[in-house]
Amino acid sequence: MLAYILRRLLLIIPTMLGILLINFIIIQAAPGGPVEQMIAKLEGFDAASGGATGRISGGGGEVSVAGSNYRGAQGLDPELIEEIERMYGFDKPAPERFWIMLKNYLHLDFGVSFFRDAKVTDLIVEKMPVSISLGLWSTLIMYLVSIPLGIAKATRHGSTFDVWTSSAIIVGYAIPAFLFAILLIVLFAGGSYLDWFPLKGLTSNNFDELSLGGKILDYFWHLVLPVTALVIGNFATLTLLTKNSFLDEINKQYVITARAKGLTERRVLYGHVFRNAMLLIIAGFPAAFIGIFFTGSLLIEVIFSLDGLGLMSFEAAINRDYPVVFGTLFIFTLVGLLVKLIGDITYTLVDPRIDFENREG
């Protein structure tokens, strides 16, 4: 197992390099980069005002701007354009920029945001509590609801309970989480009916003045609606996966043999079926966690005014804020690969018969 873990950790390096390289090449080909945006901004401003004097900043540097830089139909002074490219680091060829980025990432230096005037590391740390809160609690509650419900549906397959819960699952599967979020706001956040829950932020304005118990209650009070929307919008797939996995195991020969030996139904279910059926569910945990943690909560963050990593990454991609784009991509990919490895290791904890060292045999 140790050798397998070591190989997986070593494979993370070329995987990360490949992902960063592919995205770097795509971004180089995409129009509307930070240099083009700044040039268009200066040309539009100078054309409207007849010239401007001052300094512009971005990418950790700044350049001076004078009214004589804009030359009508000829555009900006080439020297100013070169200075802007130097400010954003585009005065170097693409391979050299990629190599510099990799060297900085080895020291966990993700650079400075082009448009937020802050280090990417500081921005990620600042936004992390929102994403961790949404991802952690949503995934935990989703598994606590879906696994028992899926087992109950499997053991009562074809019953009235199975039919009615399947109807609820179909509704949850058909309606996306952000629509449930809007419905919850209308019903419980002062939209049209009740005003029980807050509509904005992760904590109240007087959070620092509250006691420890008050802070905990305030924190969960703000999380009720967004977490509920995420759970309702994502529990259907996991519930059906659990049910189908248990049904597949229940119909196998070893279960019939265990029943023939006189074992109780509970002993058969949790002593034999559970371990085998849970393998598929464990395999899906990393994708479920990472999906909600980084991407699934984007619209929820927007609707409930939660400034997290999903919203920051989306805005960075729209604004071509490359340090933030690559910094978050690096963090997201690294966490995803590590969580996937943890999921594989958990296989052996659930079923010790699994041996990754002899998987070829």
Side-chain angles (χ1 to χ4, degrees):
M1 174 58 71
L2 290 177
Y4 171 77
I5 295 175
L6 181 60
R7 285 199 302 270
R8 288 289 298 272
L9 290 174
L10 291 176
L11 282 173
I12 289 178
I13 298 175
T15 304
M16 292 288 296
L17 285 174
I19 292 173
L20 290 174
L21 178 60
I22 291 172
N23 283 272
F24 186 85
I25 293 173
I26 293 174
I27 282 182
Q28 299 308 304
V35 175
E36 290 82 359
Q37 291 187 31
M38 183 60 69
I39 291 174
K41 181 179 179 180
L42 290 176
E43 287 179 344
F45 179 73
D46 283 354
S49 62
T53 303
R55 305 185 71 83
I56 58 174
S57 60
E62 60 179 14
V63 298
S64 60
V65 180
S68 59
N69 287 317
Y70 185 67
R71 303 177 299 164
Q74 297 181 0
L76 295 174
D77 191 324
E79 293 182 359
L80 176 61
I81 296 177
E82 292 178 1
E83 199 168 350
I84 294 173
E85 291 176 345
R86 185 163 52 253
M87 180 180 69
Y88 287 114
F90 282 81
D91 57 323
K92 303 178 181 64
E96 184 178 352
R97 295 202 307 273
F98 183 72
W99 175 245
I100 293 174
M101 182 182 73
L102 291 181
K103 289 195 298 183
N104 292 334
Y105 281 11
L106 291 177
H107 302 90
L108 298 180
D109 179 11
F110 303 112
V112 178
S113 170
F114 287 162
F115 304 108
R116 293 175 181 257
D117 195 25
K119 290 185 177 180
V120 175
T121 306
D122 295 338
L123 290 173
I124 292 175
V125 172
E126 179 186 348
K127 312 299 181 185
M128 188 71 77
V130 172
S131 296
I132 288 179
S133 297
L134 292 177
L136 177 63
W137 295 115
S138 299
T139 307
L140 179 62
I141 295 174
M142 186 174 67
Y143 269 73
L144 290 176
V145 170
S146 298
I147 292 177
L149 181 59
I151 295 175
K153 286 176 64 62
T155 55
R156 297 172 175 85
H157 180 60
S159 65
T160 303
F161 172 82
D162 184 34
V163 173
W164 281 104
T165 53
S166 295
S167 301
I169 289 172
I170 291 172
V171 173
Y173 186 79
I175 303 178
F178 73 89
L179 286 183
F180 276 116
I182 296 173
L183 177 62
L184 292 174
I185 289 174
V186 172
L187 294 178
F188 302 111
S192 298
Y193 298 95
L194 304 174
D195 191 8
W196 289 354
F197 299 98
L199 185 58
K200 182 179 180 181
L202 195 60
T203 56
S204 300
N205 294 329
N206 62 337
F207 183 78
D208 294 333
E209 303 172 3
L210 300 175
S211 62
L212 177 60
K215 289 180 178 179
I216 295 175
L217 289 175
D218 182 76
Y219 168 73
F220 285 107
W221 183 46
H222 283 75
L223 279 177
V224 169
L225 294 187
V227 169
T228 301
L230 283 172
V231 171
I232 293 176
N234 293 280
F235 86 104
T237 302
L238 181 59
T239 302
L240 293 178
L241 175 64
T242 304
K243 176 189 175 181
N244 294 332
S245 179
F246 272 79
L247 277 179
D248 183 59
E249 291 296 324
I250 287 174
N251 294 323
K252 288 186 177 179
Q253 184 64 41
Y254 74 89
V255 176
I256 299 175
T257 303
R259 287 171 176 166
K261 290 182 178 179
L263 296 180
T264 63
E265 195 66 25
R266 184 179 182 85
R267 179 68 182 276
V268 172
L269 183 63
Y270 292 101
H272 297 273
V273 175
F274 185 84
R275 183 175 61 182
N276 296 327
M278 285 297 293
L279 289 176
L280 283 176
I281 298 158
I282 291 173
F285 175 79
F289 178 74
I290 297 301
I292 294 179
F293 187 33
F294 293 126
T295 59
S297 61
L298 170 59
L299 292 176
I300 300 298
E301 290 180 12
V302 174
I303 292 172
F304 289 99
S305 300
L306 298 171
D307 192 8
L309 288 174
L311 182 59
M312 183 186 73
S313 302
F314 174 76
E315 292 177 345
I318 294 298
N319 297 324
R320 303 295 196 272
D321 196 347
Y322 295 155
V324 177
V325 170
F326 282 107
T328 53
L329 174 67
F330 181 87
I331 296 295
F332 293 178
T333 305
L334 180 61
V335 172
L337 292 173
L338 291 177
V339 170
K340 183 64 176 176
L341 175 59
I342 293 173
D344 290 344
I345 295 174
T346 311
Y347 274 148
T348 61
L349 300 179
V350 177
D351 190 348
R353 295 173 300 174
I354 295 177
D355 185 2
F356 288 107
E357 290 297 320
N358 297 321
R359 63 191 183 280
E360 292 85 357

